[in-house]
PDB file of all heavy atoms in Angstrom:
ATOM      1  N   PHE A   1      -3.692  -8.290  -5.693  1.00 95.00           N
ATOM      2  CA  PHE A   1      -4.830  -7.676  -5.007  1.00 95.00           C
ATOM      3  C   PHE A   1      -4.960  -6.203  -5.436  1.00 95.00           C
ATOM      4  O   PHE A   1      -3.970  -5.553  -5.758  1.00 95.00           O
ATOM      5  CB  PHE A   1      -4.676  -7.756  -3.486  1.00 95.00           C
ATOM      6  CG  PHE A   1      -4.584  -9.145  -2.948  1.00 95.00           C
ATOM      7  CD1 PHE A   1      -3.337  -9.704  -2.672  1.00 95.00           C
ATOM      8  CD2 PHE A   1      -5.710  -9.923  -2.753  1.00 95.00           C
ATOM      9  CE1 PHE A   1      -3.229 -11.003  -2.173  1.00 95.00           C
ATOM     10  CE2 PHE A   1      -5.616 -11.216  -2.258  1.00 95.00           C
ATOM     11  CZ  PHE A   1      -4.369 -11.757  -1.979  1.00 95.00           C
ATOM     12  N   TYR A   2      -6.181  -5.730  -5.414  1.00 95.00           N
ATOM     13  CA  TYR A   2      -6.458  -4.322  -5.737  1.00 95.00           C
ATOM     14  C   TYR A   2      -7.310  -3.737  -4.630  1.00 95.00           C
ATOM     15  O   TYR A   2      -8.303  -4.329  -4.195  1.00 95.00           O
ATOM     16  CB  TYR A   2      -7.191  -4.215  -7.071  1.00 95.00           C
ATOM     17  CG  TYR A   2      -7.766  -2.834  -7.379  1.00 95.00           C
ATOM     18  CD1 TYR A   2      -6.954  -1.846  -7.922  1.00 95.00           C
ATOM     19  CD2 TYR A   2      -9.097  -2.540  -7.119  1.00 95.00           C
ATOM     20  CE1 TYR A   2      -7.474  -0.585  -8.210  1.00 95.00           C
ATOM     21  CE2 TYR A   2      -9.623  -1.293  -7.392  1.00 95.00           C
ATOM     22  CZ  TYR A   2      -8.800  -0.310  -7.941  1.00 95.00           C
ATOM     23  OH  TYR A   2      -9.321   0.932  -8.209  1.00 95.00           O
ATOM     24  N   ARG A   3      -6.893  -2.569  -4.135  1.00 93.00           N
ATOM     25  CA  ARG A   3      -7.665  -1.879  -3.086  1.00 93.00           C
ATOM     26  C   ARG A   3      -7.707  -0.392  -3.408  1.00 93.00           C
ATOM     27  O   ARG A   3      -6.680   0.215  -3.726  1.00 93.00           O
ATOM     28  CB  ARG A   3      -6.998  -2.100  -1.723  1.00 93.00           C
ATOM     29  CG  ARG A   3      -7.714  -1.431  -0.550  1.00 93.00           C
ATOM     30  CD  ARG A   3      -7.350   0.037  -0.334  1.00 93.00           C
ATOM     31  NE  ARG A   3      -6.112   0.254   0.383  1.00 93.00           N
ATOM     32  CZ  ARG A   3      -5.250   1.184   0.077  1.00 93.00           C
ATOM     33  NH1 ARG A   3      -5.429   1.959  -1.002  1.00 93.00           N
ATOM     34  NH2 ARG A   3      -4.148   1.363   0.772  1.00 93.00           N
ATOM     35  N   ARG A   4      -8.909   0.198  -3.335  1.00 93.00           N
ATOM     36  CA  ARG A   4      -9.027   1.650  -3.498  1.00 93.00           C
ATOM     37  C   ARG A   4      -9.480   2.267  -2.189  1.00 93.00           C
ATOM     38  O   ARG A   4     -10.513   1.889  -1.637  1.00 93.00           O
ATOM     39  CB  ARG A   4     -10.011   2.019  -4.601  1.00 93.00           C
ATOM     40  CG  ARG A   4      -9.946   3.516  -4.964  1.00 93.00           C
ATOM     41  CD  ARG A   4     -10.880   3.861  -6.103  1.00 93.00           C
ATOM     42  NE  ARG A   4     -12.256   3.941  -5.678  1.00 93.00           N
ATOM     43  CZ  ARG A   4     -12.827   5.042  -5.182  1.00 93.00           C
ATOM     44  NH1 ARG A   4     -12.117   6.140  -5.042  1.00 93.00           N
ATOM     45  NH2 ARG A   4     -14.094   5.041  -4.843  1.00 93.00           N
ATOM     46  N   ARG A   5      -8.682   3.243  -1.712  1.00 91.00           N
ATOM     47  CA  ARG A   5      -9.032   3.913  -0.459  1.00 91.00           C
ATOM     48  C   ARG A   5     -10.177   4.884  -0.669  1.00 91.00           C
ATOM     49  O   ARG A   5     -10.216   5.609  -1.681  1.00 91.00           O
ATOM     50  CB  ARG A   5      -7.832   4.712   0.044  1.00 91.00           C
ATOM     51  CG  ARG A   5      -7.014   4.028   1.082  1.00 91.00           C
ATOM     52  CD  ARG A   5      -6.176   4.960   1.912  1.00 91.00           C
ATOM     53  NE  ARG A   5      -5.376   5.944   1.173  1.00 91.00           N
ATOM     54  CZ  ARG A   5      -4.780   6.993   1.774  1.00 91.00           C
ATOM     55  NH1 ARG A   5      -4.865   7.144   3.083  1.00 91.00           N
ATOM     56  NH2 ARG A   5      -4.076   7.839   1.069  1.00 91.00           N
ATOM     57  N   GLN A   6     -11.078   4.937   0.251  1.00 87.00           N
ATOM     58  CA  GLN A   6     -12.176   5.908   0.193  1.00 87.00           C
ATOM     59  C   GLN A   6     -11.686   7.309   0.564  1.00 87.00           C
ATOM     60  O   GLN A   6     -12.166   8.318   0.030  1.00 87.00           O
ATOM     61  CB  GLN A   6     -13.326   5.477   1.118  1.00 87.00           C
ATOM     62  CG  GLN A   6     -13.938   4.148   0.735  1.00 87.00           C
ATOM     63  CD  GLN A   6     -14.488   4.151  -0.673  1.00 87.00           C
ATOM     64  OE1 GLN A   6     -15.178   5.079  -1.099  1.00 87.00           O
ATOM     65  NE2 GLN A   6     -14.169   3.097  -1.439  1.00 87.00           N
ATOM     66  N   ASP A   7     -10.760   7.383   1.500  1.00 86.00           N
ATOM     67  CA  ASP A   7     -10.205   8.656   1.937  1.00 86.00           C
ATOM     68  C   ASP A   7      -8.704   8.645   1.653  1.00 86.00           C
ATOM     69  O   ASP A   7      -7.973   7.822   2.199  1.00 86.00           O
ATOM     70  CB  ASP A   7     -10.458   8.836   3.438  1.00 86.00           C
ATOM     71  CG  ASP A   7      -9.796  10.086   4.002  1.00 86.00           C
ATOM     72  OD1 ASP A   7      -9.359  10.947   3.200  1.00 86.00           O
ATOM     73  OD2 ASP A   7      -9.705  10.208   5.237  1.00 86.00           O
ATOM     74  N   ASN A   8      -8.250   9.553   0.790  1.00 82.00           N
ATOM     75  CA  ASN A   8      -6.835   9.516   0.421  1.00 82.00           C
ATOM     76  C   ASN A   8      -5.991  10.510   1.207  1.00 82.00           C
ATOM     77  O   ASN A   8      -5.066  11.135   0.699  1.00 82.00           O
ATOM     78  CB  ASN A   8      -6.660   9.751  -1.088  1.00 82.00           C
ATOM     79  CG  ASN A   8      -7.017  11.170  -1.504  1.00 82.00           C
ATOM     80  OD1 ASN A   8      -7.826  11.815  -0.846  1.00 82.00           O
ATOM     81  ND2 ASN A   8      -6.439  11.626  -2.612  1.00 82.00           N
ATOM     82  N   GLY A   9      -6.308  10.664   2.477  1.00 83.00           N
ATOM     83  CA  GLY A   9      -5.521  11.543   3.328  1.00 83.00           C
ATOM     84  C   GLY A   9      -4.082  11.095   3.438  1.00 83.00           C
ATOM     85  O   GLY A   9      -3.780   9.903   3.479  1.00 83.00           O
ATOM     86  N   GLY A  10      -3.169  12.062   3.462  1.00 83.00           N
ATOM     87  CA  GLY A  10      -1.758  11.743   3.622  1.00 83.00           C
ATOM     88  C   GLY A  10      -1.049  11.394   2.328  1.00 83.00           C
ATOM     89  O   GLY A  10       0.139  11.032   2.351  1.00 83.00           O
ATOM     90  N   ARG A  11      -1.767  11.419   1.207  1.00 86.00           N
ATOM     91  CA  ARG A  11      -1.173  11.133  -0.102  1.00 86.00           C
ATOM     92  C   ARG A  11      -0.480   9.767  -0.099  1.00 86.00           C
ATOM     93  O   ARG A  11      -1.010   8.816   0.475  1.00 86.00           O
ATOM     94  CB  ARG A  11      -0.215  12.250  -0.511  1.00 86.00           C
ATOM     95  CG  ARG A  11      -0.867  13.640  -0.532  1.00 86.00           C
ATOM     96  CD  ARG A  11       0.151  14.725  -0.802  1.00 86.00           C
ATOM     97  NE  ARG A  11      -0.447  16.047  -0.747  1.00 86.00           N
ATOM     98  CZ  ARG A  11      -0.645  16.737   0.383  1.00 86.00           C
ATOM     99  NH1 ARG A  11      -0.290  16.212   1.545  1.00 86.00           N
ATOM    100  NH2 ARG A  11      -1.203  17.921   0.369  1.00 86.00           N
ATOM    101  N   LYS A  12       0.666   9.647  -0.757  1.00 89.00           N
ATOM    102  CA  LYS A  12       1.323   8.341  -0.860  1.00 89.00           C
ATOM    103  C   LYS A  12       1.701   7.794   0.506  1.00 89.00           C
ATOM    104  O   LYS A  12       1.559   6.592   0.790  1.00 89.00           O
ATOM    105  CB  LYS A  12       2.566   8.426  -1.747  1.00 89.00           C
ATOM    106  CG  LYS A  12       3.283   7.100  -1.899  1.00 89.00           C
ATOM    107  CD  LYS A  12       4.518   7.222  -2.791  1.00 89.00           C
ATOM    108  CE  LYS A  12       5.282   5.910  -2.854  1.00 89.00           C
ATOM    109  NZ  LYS A  12       6.475   6.003  -3.718  1.00 89.00           N
ATOM    110  N   ALA A  13       2.226   8.655   1.386  1.00 89.00           N
ATOM    111  CA  ALA A  13       2.594   8.201   2.724  1.00 89.00           C
ATOM    112  C   ALA A  13       1.384   7.670   3.473  1.00 89.00           C
ATOM    113  O   ALA A  13       1.467   6.622   4.156  1.00 89.00           O
ATOM    114  CB  ALA A  13       3.248   9.340   3.505  1.00 89.00           C
ATOM    115  N   GLY A  14       0.251   8.346   3.323  1.00 90.00           N
ATOM    116  CA  GLY A  14      -0.968   7.861   3.958  1.00 90.00           C
ATOM    117  C   GLY A  14      -1.455   6.560   3.346  1.00 90.00           C
ATOM    118  O   GLY A  14      -2.010   5.691   4.042  1.00 90.00           O
ATOM    119  N   ASN A  15      -1.262   6.413   2.042  1.00 92.00           N
ATOM    120  CA  ASN A  15      -1.657   5.183   1.356  1.00 92.00           C
ATOM    121  C   ASN A  15      -0.856   3.991   1.905  1.00 92.00           C
ATOM    122  O   ASN A  15      -1.418   2.934   2.215  1.00 92.00           O
ATOM    123  CB  ASN A  15      -1.411   5.359  -0.144  1.00 92.00           C
ATOM    124  CG  ASN A  15      -2.176   4.344  -0.987  1.00 92.00           C
ATOM    125  OD1 ASN A  15      -2.813   3.430  -0.490  1.00 92.00           O
ATOM    126  ND2 ASN A  15      -2.111   4.535  -2.291  1.00 92.00           N
ATOM    127  N   LEU A  16       0.444   4.170   2.035  1.00 94.00           N
ATOM    128  CA  LEU A  16       1.289   3.095   2.572  1.00 94.00           C
ATOM    129  C   LEU A  16       0.971   2.839   4.040  1.00 94.00           C
ATOM    130  O   LEU A  16       0.984   1.692   4.496  1.00 94.00           O
ATOM    131  CB  LEU A  16       2.768   3.458   2.390  1.00 94.00           C
ATOM    132  CG  LEU A  16       3.292   3.450   0.975  1.00 94.00           C
ATOM    133  CD1 LEU A  16       4.736   3.946   0.928  1.00 94.00           C
ATOM    134  CD2 LEU A  16       3.210   2.060   0.366  1.00 94.00           C
ATOM    135  N   ALA A  17       0.715   3.909   4.798  1.00 92.00           N
ATOM    136  CA  ALA A  17       0.368   3.730   6.212  1.00 92.00           C
ATOM    137  C   ALA A  17      -0.932   2.954   6.349  1.00 92.00           C
ATOM    138  O   ALA A  17      -1.066   2.085   7.244  1.00 92.00           O
ATOM    139  CB  ALA A  17       0.255   5.100   6.898  1.00 92.00           C
ATOM    140  N   ASP A  18      -1.905   3.229   5.493  1.00 92.00           N
ATOM    141  CA  ASP A  18      -3.160   2.488   5.517  1.00 92.00           C
ATOM    142  C   ASP A  18      -2.918   1.001   5.232  1.00 92.00           C
ATOM    143  O   ASP A  18      -3.484   0.127   5.890  1.00 92.00           O
ATOM    144  CB  ASP A  18      -4.124   3.063   4.492  1.00 92.00           C
ATOM    145  CG  ASP A  18      -5.428   2.292   4.399  1.00 92.00           C
ATOM    146  OD1 ASP A  18      -6.325   2.546   5.203  1.00 92.00           O
ATOM    147  OD2 ASP A  18      -5.521   1.402   3.508  1.00 92.00           O
ATOM    148  N   PHE A  19      -2.065   0.707   4.267  1.00 94.00           N
ATOM    149  CA  PHE A  19      -1.751  -0.687   3.965  1.00 94.00           C
ATOM    150  C   PHE A  19      -1.095  -1.357   5.175  1.00 94.00           C
ATOM    151  O   PHE A  19      -1.469  -2.475   5.556  1.00 94.00           O
ATOM    152  CB  PHE A  19      -0.814  -0.778   2.753  1.00 94.00           C
ATOM    153  CG  PHE A  19      -0.250  -2.160   2.558  1.00 94.00           C
ATOM    154  CD1 PHE A  19      -1.010  -3.159   1.955  1.00 94.00           C
ATOM    155  CD2 PHE A  19       1.025  -2.470   3.005  1.00 94.00           C
ATOM    156  CE1 PHE A  19      -0.503  -4.434   1.789  1.00 94.00           C
ATOM    157  CE2 PHE A  19       1.547  -3.753   2.845  1.00 94.00           C
ATOM    158  CZ  PHE A  19       0.782  -4.723   2.244  1.00 94.00           C
ATOM    159  N   CYS A  20      -0.113  -0.679   5.770  1.00 93.00           N
ATOM    160  CA  CYS A  20       0.582  -1.272   6.915  1.00 93.00           C
ATOM    161  C   CYS A  20      -0.368  -1.489   8.083  1.00 93.00           C
ATOM    162  O   CYS A  20      -0.324  -2.535   8.758  1.00 93.00           O
ATOM    163  CB  CYS A  20       1.744  -0.374   7.328  1.00 93.00           C
ATOM    164  SG  CYS A  20       3.128  -0.364   6.166  1.00 93.00           S
ATOM    165  N   THR A  21      -1.234  -0.524   8.335  1.00 92.00           N
ATOM    166  CA  THR A  21      -2.161  -0.627   9.464  1.00 92.00           C
ATOM    167  C   THR A  21      -3.098  -1.809   9.300  1.00 92.00           C
ATOM    168  O   THR A  21      -3.379  -2.558  10.242  1.00 92.00           O
ATOM    169  CB  THR A  21      -2.968   0.688   9.604  1.00 92.00           C
ATOM    170  OG1 THR A  21      -2.076   1.757   9.885  1.00 92.00           O
ATOM    171  CG2 THR A  21      -3.992   0.577  10.708  1.00 92.00           C
ATOM    172  N   ASN A  22      -3.604  -2.014   8.083  1.00 91.00           N
ATOM    173  CA  ASN A  22      -4.634  -3.029   7.882  1.00 91.00           C
ATOM    174  C   ASN A  22      -4.094  -4.403   7.486  1.00 91.00           C
ATOM    175  O   ASN A  22      -4.702  -5.426   7.791  1.00 91.00           O
ATOM    176  CB  ASN A  22      -5.615  -2.539   6.813  1.00 91.00           C
ATOM    177  CG  ASN A  22      -6.474  -1.402   7.306  1.00 91.00           C
ATOM    178  OD1 ASN A  22      -7.245  -1.559   8.250  1.00 91.00           O
ATOM    179  ND2 ASN A  22      -6.337  -0.238   6.690  1.00 91.00           N
ATOM    180  N   TRP A  23      -2.946  -4.425   6.764  1.00 92.00           N
ATOM    181  CA  TRP A  23      -2.451  -5.704   6.283  1.00 92.00           C
ATOM    182  C   TRP A  23      -0.973  -5.950   6.605  1.00 92.00           C
ATOM    183  O   TRP A  23      -0.444  -7.017   6.312  1.00 92.00           O
ATOM    184  CB  TRP A  23      -2.644  -5.799   4.765  1.00 92.00           C
ATOM    185  CG  TRP A  23      -4.104  -5.817   4.406  1.00 92.00           C
ATOM    186  CD1 TRP A  23      -4.983  -6.871   4.538  1.00 92.00           C
ATOM    187  CD2 TRP A  23      -4.865  -4.732   3.881  1.00 92.00           C
ATOM    188  NE1 TRP A  23      -6.233  -6.494   4.123  1.00 92.00           N
ATOM    189  CE2 TRP A  23      -6.202  -5.189   3.700  1.00 92.00           C
ATOM    190  CE3 TRP A  23      -4.563  -3.423   3.523  1.00 92.00           C
ATOM    191  CZ2 TRP A  23      -7.206  -4.384   3.207  1.00 92.00           C
ATOM    192  CZ3 TRP A  23      -5.561  -2.613   3.018  1.00 92.00           C
ATOM    193  CH2 TRP A  23      -6.874  -3.091   2.872  1.00 92.00           C
ATOM    194  N   GLY A  24      -0.324  -4.957   7.199  1.00 91.00           N
ATOM    195  CA  GLY A  24       1.109  -5.097   7.463  1.00 91.00           C
ATOM    196  C   GLY A  24       1.455  -6.249   8.368  1.00 91.00           C
ATOM    197  O   GLY A  24       2.532  -6.841   8.261  1.00 91.00           O
ATOM    198  N   HIS A  25       0.551  -6.624   9.290  1.00 91.00           N
ATOM    199  CA  HIS A  25       0.847  -7.715  10.230  1.00 91.00           C
ATOM    200  C   HIS A  25       1.020  -9.044   9.525  1.00 91.00           C
ATOM    201  O   HIS A  25       1.587  -9.993  10.088  1.00 91.00           O
ATOM    202  CB  HIS A  25      -0.270  -7.833  11.255  1.00 91.00           C
ATOM    203  CG  HIS A  25      -1.568  -8.306  10.697  1.00 91.00           C
ATOM    204  ND1 HIS A  25      -2.366  -7.483   9.926  1.00 91.00           N
ATOM    205  CD2 HIS A  25      -2.188  -9.514  10.757  1.00 91.00           C
ATOM    206  CE1 HIS A  25      -3.443  -8.181   9.528  1.00 91.00           C
ATOM    207  NE2 HIS A  25      -3.356  -9.400  10.028  1.00 91.00           N
ATOM    208  N   MET A  26       0.562  -9.147   8.262  1.00 92.00           N
ATOM    209  CA  MET A  26       0.656 -10.408   7.521  1.00 92.00           C
ATOM    210  C   MET A  26       1.969 -10.550   6.760  1.00 92.00           C
ATOM    211  O   MET A  26       2.267 -11.623   6.232  1.00 92.00           O
ATOM    212  CB  MET A  26      -0.502 -10.509   6.530  1.00 92.00           C
ATOM    213  CG  MET A  26      -1.862 -10.539   7.156  1.00 92.00           C
ATOM    214  SD  MET A  26      -3.118 -10.963   5.945  1.00 92.00           S
ATOM    215  CE  MET A  26      -2.584 -12.598   5.449  1.00 92.00           C
ATOM    216  N   TYR A  27       2.784  -9.486   6.722  1.00 95.00           N
ATOM    217  CA  TYR A  27       3.968  -9.504   5.878  1.00 95.00           C
ATOM    218  C   TYR A  27       5.216  -9.092   6.675  1.00 95.00           C
ATOM    219  O   TYR A  27       5.138  -8.242   7.567  1.00 95.00           O
ATOM    220  CB  TYR A  27       3.778  -8.548   4.692  1.00 95.00           C
ATOM    221  CG  TYR A  27       2.665  -8.975   3.780  1.00 95.00           C
ATOM    222  CD1 TYR A  27       1.374  -8.469   3.937  1.00 95.00           C
ATOM    223  CD2 TYR A  27       2.864  -9.951   2.807  1.00 95.00           C
ATOM    224  CE1 TYR A  27       0.320  -8.901   3.127  1.00 95.00           C
ATOM    225  CE2 TYR A  27       1.831 -10.387   1.999  1.00 95.00           C
ATOM    226  CZ  TYR A  27       0.563  -9.852   2.161  1.00 95.00           C
ATOM    227  OH  TYR A  27      -0.458 -10.294   1.354  1.00 95.00           O
ATOM    228  N   ASP A  28       6.317  -9.708   6.320  1.00 96.00           N
ATOM    229  CA  ASP A  28       7.598  -9.341   6.918  1.00 96.00           C
ATOM    230  C   ASP A  28       8.223  -8.159   6.196  1.00 96.00           C
ATOM    231  O   ASP A  28       8.876  -7.315   6.828  1.00 96.00           O
ATOM    232  CB  ASP A  28       8.560 -10.549   6.854  1.00 96.00           C
ATOM    233  CG  ASP A  28       8.020 -11.740   7.608  1.00 96.00           C
ATOM    234  OD1 ASP A  28       8.102 -11.757   8.839  1.00 96.00           O
ATOM    235  OD2 ASP A  28       7.501 -12.677   6.944  1.00 96.00           O
ATOM    236  N   PHE A  29       8.045  -8.102   4.875  1.00 97.00           N
ATOM    237  CA  PHE A  29       8.678  -7.056   4.072  1.00 97.00           C
ATOM    238  C   PHE A  29       7.684  -6.511   3.052  1.00 97.00           C
ATOM    239  O   PHE A  29       6.717  -7.201   2.676  1.00 97.00           O
ATOM    240  CB  PHE A  29       9.897  -7.630   3.319  1.00 97.00           C
ATOM    241  CG  PHE A  29      10.770  -8.511   4.143  1.00 97.00           C
ATOM    242  CD1 PHE A  29      10.859  -9.876   3.867  1.00 97.00           C
ATOM    243  CD2 PHE A  29      11.489  -8.016   5.205  1.00 97.00           C
ATOM    244  CE1 PHE A  29      11.651 -10.722   4.639  1.00 97.00           C
ATOM    245  CE2 PHE A  29      12.287  -8.838   5.984  1.00 97.00           C
ATOM    246  CZ  PHE A  29      12.360 -10.195   5.693  1.00 97.00           C
ATOM    247  N   MET A  30       7.930  -5.291   2.620  1.00 97.00           N
ATOM    248  CA  MET A  30       7.183  -4.765   1.483  1.00 97.00           C
ATOM    249  C   MET A  30       8.171  -4.083   0.524  1.00 97.00           C
ATOM    250  O   MET A  30       9.056  -3.346   0.953  1.00 97.00           O
ATOM    251  CB  MET A  30       6.074  -3.791   1.895  1.00 97.00           C
ATOM    252  CG  MET A  30       6.497  -2.536   2.595  1.00 97.00           C
ATOM    253  SD  MET A  30       5.048  -1.464   2.915  1.00 97.00           S
ATOM    254  CE  MET A  30       5.836  -0.118   3.818  1.00 97.00           C
ATOM    255  N   VAL A  31       8.003  -4.412  -0.751  1.00 98.00           N
ATOM    256  CA  VAL A  31       8.761  -3.761  -1.807  1.00 98.00           C
ATOM    257  C   VAL A  31       7.921  -2.590  -2.285  1.00 98.00           C
ATOM    258  O   VAL A  31       6.813  -2.767  -2.829  1.00 98.00           O
ATOM    259  CB  VAL A  31       9.061  -4.735  -2.959  1.00 98.00           C
ATOM    260  CG1 VAL A  31       9.763  -3.995  -4.101  1.00 98.00           C
ATOM    261  CG2 VAL A  31       9.904  -5.899  -2.485  1.00 98.00           C
ATOM    262  N   VAL A  32       8.411  -1.379  -2.071  1.00 97.00           N
ATOM    263  CA  VAL A  32       7.654  -0.161  -2.374  1.00 97.00           C
ATOM    264  C   VAL A  32       8.036   0.319  -3.775  1.00 97.00           C
ATOM    265  O   VAL A  32       9.212   0.539  -4.075  1.00 97.00           O
ATOM    266  CB  VAL A  32       7.925   0.930  -1.327  1.00 97.00           C
ATOM    267  CG1 VAL A  32       7.113   2.182  -1.646  1.00 97.00           C
ATOM    268  CG2 VAL A  32       7.624   0.424   0.061  1.00 97.00           C
ATOM    269  N   LEU A  33       7.028   0.488  -4.609  1.00 96.00           N
ATOM    270  CA  LEU A  33       7.245   0.956  -5.977  1.00 96.00           C
ATOM    271  C   LEU A  33       6.459   2.245  -6.221  1.00 96.00           C
ATOM    272  O   LEU A  33       5.592   2.620  -5.428  1.00 96.00           O
ATOM    273  CB  LEU A  33       6.792  -0.105  -6.982  1.00 96.00           C
ATOM    274  CG  LEU A  33       7.467  -1.486  -6.882  1.00 96.00           C
ATOM    275  CD1 LEU A  33       6.824  -2.451  -7.853  1.00 96.00           C
ATOM    276  CD2 LEU A  33       8.963  -1.377  -7.143  1.00 96.00           C
ATOM    277  N   ASP A  34       6.782   2.930  -7.300  1.00 94.00           N
ATOM    278  CA  ASP A  34       5.980   4.048  -7.799  1.00 94.00           C
ATOM    279  C   ASP A  34       5.092   3.542  -8.922  1.00 94.00           C
ATOM    280  O   ASP A  34       5.291   2.437  -9.449  1.00 94.00           O
ATOM    281  CB  ASP A  34       6.876   5.175  -8.302  1.00 94.00           C
ATOM    282  CG  ASP A  34       6.945   6.336  -7.309  1.00 94.00           C
ATOM    283  OD1 ASP A  34       6.271   6.259  -6.272  1.00 94.00           O
ATOM    284  OD2 ASP A  34       7.687   7.293  -7.585  1.00 94.00           O
ATOM    285  N   ALA A  35       4.160   4.380  -9.349  1.00 92.00           N
ATOM    286  CA  ALA A  35       3.249   3.983 -10.423  1.00 92.00           C
ATOM    287  C   ALA A  35       3.979   3.709 -11.720  1.00 92.00           C
ATOM    288  O   ALA A  35       3.498   2.946 -12.566  1.00 92.00           O
ATOM    289  CB  ALA A  35       2.192   5.069 -10.640  1.00 92.00           C
ATOM    290  N   ASP A  36       5.151   4.311 -11.918  1.00 93.00           N
ATOM    291  CA  ASP A  36       5.918   4.098 -13.156  1.00 93.00           C
ATOM    292  C   ASP A  36       7.116   3.184 -12.944  1.00 93.00           C
ATOM    293  O   ASP A  36       8.032   3.131 -13.773  1.00 93.00           O
ATOM    294  CB  ASP A  36       6.372   5.427 -13.752  1.00 93.00           C
ATOM    295  CG  ASP A  36       7.224   6.249 -12.763  1.00 93.00           C
ATOM    296  OD1 ASP A  36       7.457   5.761 -11.641  1.00 93.00           O
ATOM    297  OD2 ASP A  36       7.656   7.358 -13.132  1.00 93.00           O
ATOM    298  N   SER A  37       7.127   2.445 -11.835  1.00 95.00           N
ATOM    299  CA  SER A  37       8.254   1.580 -11.530  1.00 95.00           C
ATOM    300  C   SER A  37       8.092   0.210 -12.179  1.00 95.00           C
ATOM    301  O   SER A  37       6.979  -0.254 -12.445  1.00 95.00           O
ATOM    302  CB  SER A  37       8.376   1.380 -10.009  1.00 95.00           C
ATOM    303  OG  SER A  37       8.687   2.572  -9.345  1.00 95.00           O
ATOM    304  N   LEU A  38       9.223  -0.439 -12.383  1.00 96.00           N
ATOM    305  CA  LEU A  38       9.252  -1.828 -12.826  1.00 96.00           C
ATOM    306  C   LEU A  38      10.451  -2.486 -12.167  1.00 96.00           C
ATOM    307  O   LEU A  38      11.523  -1.883 -12.075  1.00 96.00           O
ATOM    308  CB  LEU A  38       9.368  -1.902 -14.357  1.00 96.00           C
ATOM    309  CG  LEU A  38       9.346  -3.306 -14.981  1.00 96.00           C
ATOM    310  CD1 LEU A  38       7.967  -3.942 -14.817  1.00 96.00           C
ATOM    311  CD2 LEU A  38       9.727  -3.254 -16.456  1.00 96.00           C
ATOM    312  N   MET A  39      10.271  -3.729 -11.709  1.00 97.00           N
ATOM    313  CA  MET A  39      11.358  -4.426 -11.049  1.00 97.00           C
ATOM    314  C   MET A  39      11.329  -5.882 -11.449  1.00 97.00           C
ATOM    315  O   MET A  39      10.269  -6.520 -11.514  1.00 97.00           O
ATOM    316  CB  MET A  39      11.235  -4.292  -9.527  1.00 97.00           C
ATOM    317  CG  MET A  39      12.444  -4.795  -8.752  1.00 97.00           C
ATOM    318  SD  MET A  39      12.345  -4.478  -6.972  1.00 97.00           S
ATOM    319  CE  MET A  39      12.617  -2.701  -6.930  1.00 97.00           C
ATOM    320  N   GLY A  40      12.501  -6.436 -11.743  1.00 96.00           N
ATOM    321  CA  GLY A  40      12.603  -7.831 -12.141  1.00 96.00           C
ATOM    322  C   GLY A  40      12.406  -8.778 -10.973  1.00 96.00           C
ATOM    323  O   GLY A  40      12.736  -8.444  -9.806  1.00 96.00           O
TER     324      GLY A  40
END
C-alpha cells in the first residue's frame, strides 16, 4: 500500500502516529523501517 499524508506534522513520529491512528487497529505488530532500510 502507498499513502501520502497531506499534512506532515510531527515528521517521522507524526507519520507513524497517523498510521497507527487510522490503521493500527487492524494490525498486531508493525516492523518500522527507514527509507534506506532493508530487511530479509
Side-chain angles (χ1 to χ4, degrees):
F1 300 98
Y2 169 82
R3 180 276 279 140
R4 190 178 76 87
R5 262 201 311 168
Q6 298 301 314
D7 174 13
N8 69 333
R11 303 175 183 83
K12 180 180 176 180
N15 198 354
L16 291 175
D18 176 84
F19 169 79
C20 289
T21 297
N22 289 298
W23 295 284
H25 68 286
M26 297 191 61
Y27 296 95
D28 300 283
F29 317 112
M30 63 176 177
V31 176
V32 181
L33 302 175
D34 257 358
D36 58 0
S37 296
L38 183 68
M39 189 174 288

